[in-house]
Amino acid sequence: MDKLRAMITGIQGYVPEYRLTNKELEELVETNDEWIVSRTGIKERRILKGEDQGSSVMGAEAVKGLLEKTGIDPLDVDLIICATVTPDMPFPATANIIADLVGAKNSYSFDIGAACSGFLYALQIGSQFIQTGSHKKVIVVGADKMSSIVDYTDRATCILFGDGAGAVMLEPTTEDLGIVDSILKSDGTGAPYLHMKAGGSRRPATHETVDAKEHFAFQEGSTVFKFAVTNMADVSAEIMEKNGLKGEDVAWLVPHQANLRIINATANRMGIGSDKVMMNIEKYGNTTAATIPLCLWDYENQLKKGDNLVLAAFGGGFTWGSIYLKWAYDPK
């Protein structure tokens, strides 16, 4: 194979130490552990504590670990892309801050905002820089501090989200490995069902927007669930059909960790058993752009060179998509 592909040559995650358990949430809102677990599969989630701590802190920790693991000098990094909906600030980009924190002084960097599909969007963009031959070392980060935009008096959303970050290194290969194909989609008509009402140029922050709690994530759960089940499952089946894959050909489904029922529906649509589905929702909850790299990090030791992986996500906006890749290395 002469054509360049982007392959993942390393993966690293980071989650804060503080564990927010279902038991603790019972003291904040009218809910209980059994209801949360049965509806979502979540038992606890990690929360970033402390002053002046943003998504860049977690992203930088993941990138530092990634560089150490791969033995790559930060000065050799060409590009850093950060997928996030909770940037440290409107500008500069959180990716710029991460690059500075890790000493990647020769890279340029930018953010991608596609909610829970952000990591897939960023991964595909990063792979295209590799495919052109213009870049040799691209880092893709998914990092979100969802606790910063969650209303902990709203039981519909506060049970779902946690904080975390994950990062992958992309490098070129001419072997039959790496990112083979992608299908990425969006539909702006979904915006009213999952969004943050204020804080942007349409509704800048005022006393009124703060008092009305418009700077928190809003979700119409039943509508989002229906769209997610259909679209995440369909796009995963579509990428398999497009590439001639059957259930037995797929080593792992790597789904966005939003809801256990959505994950199960996607696996069923693909004809994949639960033993081939990466799951860590019970301990991290929904970390938005970080869920897929955190799954890869948790399961890295079970991955083998040449394994067929299907990555799938659905997010606010709406955004959704799937990526088919062949894993590039054996466990170390």
Side-chain angles (χ1 to χ4, degrees):
M1 193 180 100
D2 295 327
K3 182 181 177 182
L4 281 178
R5 272 192 197 155
M7 62 177 177
I8 293 175
T9 58
I11 173 76
Q12 184 67 26
Y14 174 82
V15 290
E17 291 184 10
Y18 187 87
R19 289 175 164 85
L20 176 59
T21 64
N22 291 346
K23 194 70 177 174
E24 188 174 347
L25 283 175
E26 289 178 7
E27 300 173 7
L28 301 176
V29 291
E30 187 179 343
T31 190
N32 61 73
D33 176 72
E34 182 182 0
W35 189 90
I36 296 172
V37 173
S38 65
R39 295 299 182 96
T40 69
I42 301 168
K43 295 180 180 178
E44 62 181 36
R45 63 291 290 150
R46 300 298 184 94
I47 304 296
L48 183 64
K49 297 281 191 178
E51 292 185 11
D52 204 29
Q53 301 286 293
S55 295
S56 67
V57 171
M58 298 183 292
E61 287 299 317
V63 173
K64 286 176 186 176
L66 176 67
L67 292 169
E68 183 178 351
K69 182 188 285 188
T70 57
I72 291 173
D73 189 317
L75 295 177
D76 291 333
V77 176
D78 300 312
L79 170 63
I80 297 177
I81 307 172
C82 180
T84 185
V85 291
T86 54
D88 283 26
M89 55 193 78
F91 61 89
T94 298
N96 294 15
I97 300 171
I98 292 171
D100 179 58
L101 290 172
V102 304
K105 297 187 181 299
N106 294 325
S107 72
Y108 72 100
S109 49
F110 58 88
D111 289 354
I112 290 292
C116 298
S117 306
F119 182 78
L120 293 191
Y121 276 45
L123 191 64
Q124 177 60 15
I125 292 168
S127 74
Q128 290 171 338
F129 280 96
I130 296 285
Q131 288 169 27
T132 65
S134 64
H135 295 65
K136 292 182 170 57
K137 289 177 172 56
V138 174
I139 293 177
V140 177
V141 186
D144 272 302
K145 184 184 177 182
M146 292 304 294
S147 62
S148 67
I149 59 169
V150 166
D151 178 3
Y152 284 95
T153 66
D154 176 14
R155 69 173 184 171
T157 55
C158 73
I159 65 172
L160 301 174
F161 296 103
D163 304 337
V168 300
M169 180 69 70
L170 293 179
E171 296 185 86
T173 183
T174 54
E175 292 185 72
D176 186 19
L177 298 168
I179 296 172
V180 180
D181 198 8
S182 68
I183 302 172
L184 300 171
K185 301 187 177 184
S186 63
D187 180 359
T189 63
Y193 307 109
L194 183 50
H195 65 283
M196 192 168 77
K197 295 181 180 181
S201 59
R202 180 190 289 187
R203 290 181 63 77
T206 64
H207 283 297
E208 288 74 18
T209 63
V210 172
D211 291 344
K213 296 186 174 182
E214 293 184 353
H215 297 266
F216 294 123
F218 168 81
Q219 174 172 286
E220 189 175 297
S222 60
T223 302
V224 173
F225 179 82
K226 290 173 186 175
F227 269 87
V229 166
T230 302
N231 289 311
M232 194 163 132
D234 284 354
V235 78
S236 301
E238 183 182 349
I239 205 164
M240 287 176 64
E241 183 178 354
K242 185 180 174 185
N243 290 278
L245 297 172
K246 300 193 180 302
E248 58 267 26
D249 301 321
V250 177
W252 293 98
L253 165 64
V254 191
H256 170 55
Q257 307 287 298
N259 182 294
L260 183 60
R261 292 180 294 165
I262 296 172
I263 294 169
N264 289 338
T266 301
N268 290 337
R269 180 82 165 80
M270 295 170 65
I272 291 174
S274 59
D275 58 324
K276 290 184 172 185
V277 180
M278 292 190 187
M279 295 268 285
N280 58 15
I281 191 172
E282 72 283 353
K283 58 182 181 178
Y284 301 142
N286 182 352
T287 55
T288 307
T291 67
I292 287 177
L294 283 175
C295 272
L296 293 172
W297 178 51
D298 275 354
Y299 282 78
E300 183 183 17
N301 290 335
Q302 298 182 53
L303 296 171
K304 298 180 180 62
K305 186 175 181 178
D307 277 354
N308 290 320
L309 274 60
V310 174
L311 284 54
F314 181 89
F318 291 127
T319 62
W320 68 99
S322 186
I323 287 179
Y324 163 41
L325 65 83
K326 293 187 177 183
W327 195 248
Y329 60 93
D330 288 317
K332 296 177 182 178

